[in-house]
Amino acid sequence: ELKVEQNPLFLSMQEGKNYTIYCNYSTTSDRLYWYRQDPGKSLESLFVLLSNGAVKQEGRLMASLDTKARLSTLHITAAVHDLSATYFCAVDAHFSGGSNYKLTFGKGTLLTVNP
Amino acid sequence: KAGVTQTPRYLIKTRGQQVTLSCSPISGHRSVSWYQQTPGQGLQFLFEYFSETQRNKGNFPGRFSGRQFSNSRSEMNVSTLELGDSALYLCASSRQGGDTDTQYFGPGTRLTVL
């Protein structure tokens, strides 16, 4: 059974600081996704990482994937209050060509950015 | 472009009842997935439909079922409700449902079972 572990689960940061959220998974896969969820809201897609070594950046967020280590990271640069949210990583258990969605999610990281 | 819509947004039921939730995907999207989100178990995959066919199913009991219509709208049904079924039910749509697609999530239906 595929397991996805995120750490930390809770992260309190000061504005302007950098930090990294880690996502480890238990089986081979080269499909990893990052989502953001604001309180009481739905999930917003942030990044889709589709191959080993993939790196994607959007604003102050950068995600990377190391399939050999079964590890993805979400790096936050110079955090601002607007980044406060819960961040989820998810791994697709079916990774062969033509596979379909069957995402396994991590527990989520609740990020609070303090002024 | 309209996003994924889910109805109803909130629902209160009692144990033993059944419930039907509806999801309308983004226009042109043919894949619809359903997820259950609870504080204890987190986000869990329920099932995925594409062109009216269930292609994937998570580890949920048979009380949870779904279907997809020819216009790609999807419904999920939970029969004989239990207290533990209280959750936020999210549906997500994508064009083809392939793993390179981006899934777009709806606002969710919050189900409370009393």
Side-chain angles (χ1 to χ4, degrees):
Chain A
E1 179 188 342
L2 171 61
K3 293 194 185 303
V4 180
E5 287 189 3
Q6 278 182 247
N7 70 82
L9 297 183
F10 300 92
L11 177 55
S12 181
M13 300 176 62
Q14 294 293 324
E15 278 192 330
K17 298 292 187 184
N18 305 331
Y19 210 86
T20 300
I21 299 170
Y22 297 89
C23 175
N24 290 90
Y25 53 97
S26 63
T27 192
T28 304
S29 176
D30 55 1
R31 301 286 186 261
L32 193 133
Y33 311 82
W34 284 96
Y35 292 89
R36 167 181 172 147
Q37 186 175 38
D38 291 294
K41 300 288 180 64
S42 189
L43 292 166
E44 173 192 356
S45 177
L46 293 175
F47 301 108
V48 179
L49 302 170
L50 301 175
S51 61
N52 185 40
V55 177
K56 290 199 174 177
Q57 183 162 5
E58 180 73 34
R60 301 175 188 273
L61 301 177
M62 183 174 70
S64 66
L65 178 61
D66 181 343
T67 58
K68 291 182 173 56
R70 299 178 187 173
L71 171 68
S72 179
T73 60
L74 180 66
H75 187 72
I76 303 154
T77 302
V80 293
H81 180 69
D82 285 352
L83 289 179
S84 297
T86 300
Y87 292 85
F88 293 92
C89 66
V91 177
D92 191 349
H94 296 258
F95 50 85
S96 57
S99 65
N100 312 309
Y101 273 123
K102 187 173 181 177
L103 298 184
T104 299
F105 282 81
K107 292 288 189 188
T109 297
L110 176 58
L111 171 66
T112 304
V113 181
N114 303 303
Chain B
K1 193 174 188 182
V4 179
T5 58
Q6 291 186 246
T7 56
R9 294 291 312 277
Y10 302 91
L11 206 48
I12 299 175
K13 292 284 188 179
T14 56
R15 279 182 299 172
Q17 287 187 308
Q18 76 166 23
V19 67
T20 300
L21 312 182
S22 180
C23 171
S24 293
I26 292 172
S27 177
H29 285 193
R30 296 167 65 192
S31 167
V32 174
S33 298
W34 288 89
Y35 296 86
Q36 181 196 63
Q37 186 175 26
T38 60
Q41 298 299 317
L43 276 153
Q44 294 184 282
F45 172 82
L46 280 156
F47 25 65
E48 187 244 354
Y49 287 88
F50 181 81
S51 291
E52 302 178 67
T53 300
Q54 186 183 89
R55 293 196 300 190
N56 270 305
K57 191 177 190 308
N59 298 323
F60 278 82
R63 301 184 296 106
F64 291 81
S65 63
R67 59 179 175 168
Q68 186 181 34
F69 301 95
S70 58
N71 61 358
S72 294
R73 190 177 70 85
S74 177
E75 288 181 347
M76 68 163 280
N77 184 275
V78 188
S79 63
T80 319
L81 284 165
E82 300 176 0
L83 294 179
D85 297 334
S86 294
L88 180 66
Y89 290 88
L90 294 166
C91 106
S93 76
S94 65
R95 288 191 183 279
Q96 300 290 341
D99 53 12
T100 59
D101 268 351
T102 295
Q103 277 192 321
Y104 297 88
F105 281 79
T109 294
R110 185 162 297 281
L111 171 65
T112 302
V113 182
L114 302 176

